[in-house]
Amino acid sequence: MVFSNLFFLYLFLPLNLILYFVTKNRGFRNAVLILFSLAFYAWGEPIWVTLLIFSATIDYFHGLIIEKNRGKIGAKLALISSLVLNLGLLGIFKYSGFFVENINLITGLNFPVPSFALPIGISFYTFQTLSYTIDCYRGEVEAQHSYMKFLMYVSLYTQLVAGPIVRYADVAAEVNSRKETLSDIYAGTARFLVGLTKKVFIANVAGKFAEDYLSGDLTKSATAVVWFGVIMYAIQIYYDFSGYSDMAIGLGRIFGFHFLENFNYPYISRSATEFWRRWHMSLGQFFRDYVYIPLGGNRRHQYLNLFIVWFLTGFWHGASWNFIFWGLWFGVLIIIEKLFLLKALKKVPVLSNIYLLFAVLIGWVMFYFDDLGAMWDCFRVMFGAAGTGFWDISLELVLENNVFWIIAAVAFCMPIVPTVKKSLRNTRSSKSRCSLFRYPRTWLCSL
């Protein structure tokens, strides 16, 4: 089930809201969220909901063991157990087929390739429960003693399937005691509708364009056509992912949870370093706090640490070489920026943004094609090495018929709405100051 599904919008969500708000009893409300969250997850994968419950259960007890044995060997053993079990499950279900295929390819052996169905959202809830046990071990959060509250945190459907990655430390107070207010419900509903609009009216349309222009034999496509397809994919993935995050944050707020932001207009960035401070921020913060800094961060082996982090970032997105190349692409760019490029980019702001957009588009080609041969064909056509010509008259017709949609899709990748809101607030504030005085209005209003 997805948030844009009509069943979800017209039956699942309204029923959830009615049952949730019909009583003020906190225990009942938590139980409603758990039941609807498990139903939401089981809608597409009724078997693997047991894996989610298992993951929540083992880390609930790991947290208690860590708290009881704080400063002792038992706490460290519980942390190791949590890491082994969670990463082991993630490795089996998501990566075992990839590893066996590549072992067979390298060695010439013929081991049977596992074919597990990938449980939806396993990467997200695995990272969430791991962050909980690690933070318990570090003493940054207290262990949750209520199994039902912890299960609610892990299974909460508002962000379970596609994020953002919600760390327990950020919502611990609201898991234990939260207050739903009319202002939060209003703000959450508005945020949900913004995300739904992004998904339905922009991401889905851009996705259809990307599919049309990036599928099939690209060596028969004109250069401009393929570039258009890549740009449409860049628009699709931004509006799809940020739209889902908007909907998740909005739904969470309706139920009294205040999740951290996950996107901050990443396409206005002027470097790859800045891009990853704005794109999928919850993932970047996770790898920073639980991988990069523990490895030594900036203090020792910085570039090796960056290489490891970006290898893992790519691999986290999928068990395929194209995702690894995509992650390492950004890792190499960030290392180069730290060595010398950032200083140069700061001197030419306009060119730095062009550089970033170009780098991101190259990255999205890697992300899109799991077939490395098709990826190579795409690059050949993009840079005129396939001899297919530059322009196609059919693209001209598409641009003419969709010019206003394209302008809107590109424009709202930029912080237009926040800028307008800020301007209106400043205007209202100025008028309010002026209304305090009757004379002289002209020079007061100019302050």
Side-chain angles (χ1 to χ4, degrees):
M1 195 186 309
V2 294
F3 293 159
S4 56
N5 183 283
L6 294 179
F7 176 81
F8 176 84
L9 292 171
Y10 289 103
L11 185 60
F12 186 93
L13 181 58
L15 184 59
N16 184 194
L17 293 172
I18 291 169
L19 291 178
Y20 184 84
F21 287 106
V22 75
T23 178
K24 293 184 178 180
N25 183 276
R26 180 59 55 199
F28 177 84
R29 289 186 172 184
N30 288 345
V32 167
L33 276 183
I34 292 171
L35 289 173
F36 273 83
S37 294
L38 296 179
F40 181 91
Y41 192 83
W43 181 265
E45 296 185 335
I47 295 176
W48 296 124
V49 72
T50 56
L51 186 65
L52 175 117
I53 295 172
F54 175 73
S55 184
T57 303
I58 60 173
D59 279 327
Y60 166 73
F61 285 108
H62 280 136
L64 295 178
I65 294 170
I66 288 171
E67 183 179 66
K68 185 177 180 180
N69 296 276
R70 193 172 303 283
K72 301 177 183 177
I73 188 65
K76 184 172 290 188
L77 291 175
L79 175 63
I80 294 171
S81 173
S82 175
L83 291 169
V84 170
L85 286 172
N86 281 288
L87 295 178
L89 288 172
L90 185 62
I92 290 170
F93 284 97
K94 190 170 183 177
Y95 301 110
S96 57
F98 173 82
F99 284 124
V100 173
E101 283 181 357
N102 282 277
I103 289 172
N104 288 343
L105 184 64
I106 293 170
T107 63
L109 298 174
N110 192 28
F111 292 117
V113 179
S115 57
F116 294 107
L118 181 64
I120 296 172
I122 186 172
S123 297
F124 287 95
Y125 68 72
T126 296
F127 274 22
Q128 289 185 188
T129 58
L130 276 178
S131 73
Y132 167 74
T133 53
I134 294 171
D135 287 348
C136 279
Y137 180 79
R138 292 174 174 177
E140 295 176 5
V141 299
E142 295 181 359
Q144 175 57 256
H145 287 256
S146 168
Y147 175 72
M148 299 302 288
K149 288 181 179 179
F150 187 71
L151 179 60
M152 178 187 65
Y153 156 70
V154 175
S155 65
L156 195 59
Y157 75 84
T158 57
Q159 44 72 51
L160 175 66
V161 175
I165 299 170
V166 178
R167 290 159 61 170
Y168 181 79
D170 295 327
V171 295
E174 292 168 341
V175 167
N176 289 314
S177 178
R178 63 190 180 279
K179 184 177 180 180
E180 302 85 354
T181 65
L182 286 176
S183 62
D184 275 342
I185 293 171
Y186 171 80
T189 302
R191 186 68 179 270
F192 178 84
L193 292 175
V194 167
L196 185 63
T197 302
K198 285 182 177 181
K199 169 65 178 171
V200 174
F201 292 103
I202 303 183
N204 288 354
V205 177
K208 185 63 171 62
F209 281 130
E211 182 181 1
D212 289 344
Y213 291 106
L214 294 179
S215 59
D217 185 0
L218 294 181
T219 58
K220 297 178 180 179
S221 300
T223 295
V225 169
V226 174
W227 272 103
F228 179 73
V230 173
I231 291 169
M232 288 298 102
Y233 182 63
I235 289 174
Q236 177 204 355
I237 199 168
Y238 168 67
Y239 280 104
D240 202 331
F241 204 174
S242 69
Y244 194 98
S245 291
D246 286 335
M247 289 188 277
I249 291 168
L251 285 174
R253 193 160 180 182
I254 291 172
F255 295 119
F257 294 95
H258 294 76
F259 302 149
L260 298 181
E261 294 296 332
N262 207 28
F263 287 84
N264 183 24
Y265 300 100
Y267 289 152
I268 69 169
S269 302
R270 294 176 177 176
S271 66
T273 303
E274 182 185 356
F275 178 81
W276 276 98
R277 290 175 183 153
R278 293 174 174 272
W279 179 277
H280 202 347
M281 294 186 287
S282 61
L283 179 66
Q285 290 161 2
F286 183 95
F287 277 114
R288 179 197 65 198
D289 293 343
Y290 299 113
V291 180
Y292 182 67
I293 292 176
L295 285 174
N298 300 334
R299 293 175 287 107
R300 62 178 187 275
H301 311 305
Q302 181 184 16
Y303 300 121
L304 175 61
N305 299 340
L306 286 169
F307 180 87
I308 293 171
V309 164
W310 288 103
F311 172 84
L312 293 175
T313 299
F315 207 30
W316 179 85
H317 281 83
S320 178
W321 280 107
N322 66 301
F323 294 116
I324 294 174
F325 293 149
W326 173 77
L328 292 178
W329 166 250
F330 279 103
V332 169
L333 288 177
I334 289 171
I335 289 172
I336 293 173
E337 287 176 2
K338 287 186 177 296
L339 286 171
F340 66 88
L341 190 56
L342 272 180
K343 293 180 180 179
L345 292 174
K346 290 178 180 178
K347 297 177 181 178
V348 281
V350 175
L351 290 179
S352 64
N353 187 247
I354 294 173
Y355 146 78
L356 182 277
L357 291 173
F358 177 79
V360 168
L361 290 176
I362 297 300
W364 288 143
V365 173
M366 299 178 191
F367 197 89
Y368 184 85
F369 291 101
D370 55 5
D371 182 336
L372 299 185
M375 182 196 301
W376 177 244
D377 287 340
C378 184
F379 281 132
R380 287 176 59 225
V381 175
M382 288 172 68
F383 294 102
T388 56
F390 179 77
W391 192 255
D392 190 314
I393 190 64
S394 63
L395 178 60
E396 187 173 331
L397 295 174
V398 169
L399 294 175
E400 288 178 359
N401 293 333
N402 297 277
V403 61
F404 294 110
W405 177 89
I406 293 171
I407 291 172
V410 172
F412 285 102
C413 288
M414 296 177 280
I416 292 175
V417 174
T419 301
V420 171
K421 285 183 177 179
K422 183 178 180 180
S423 177
L424 290 174
R425 281 197 300 268
N426 291 339
T427 301
R428 286 196 297 267
S429 176
S430 177
K431 288 182 178 179
S432 176
R433 288 196 306 270
C434 291
S435 67
L436 294 176
F437 303 92
R438 180 168 279 184
Y439 303 102
R441 295 182 66 87
T442 303
W443 69 267
L444 280 172
C445 291
S446 65
L447 294 177

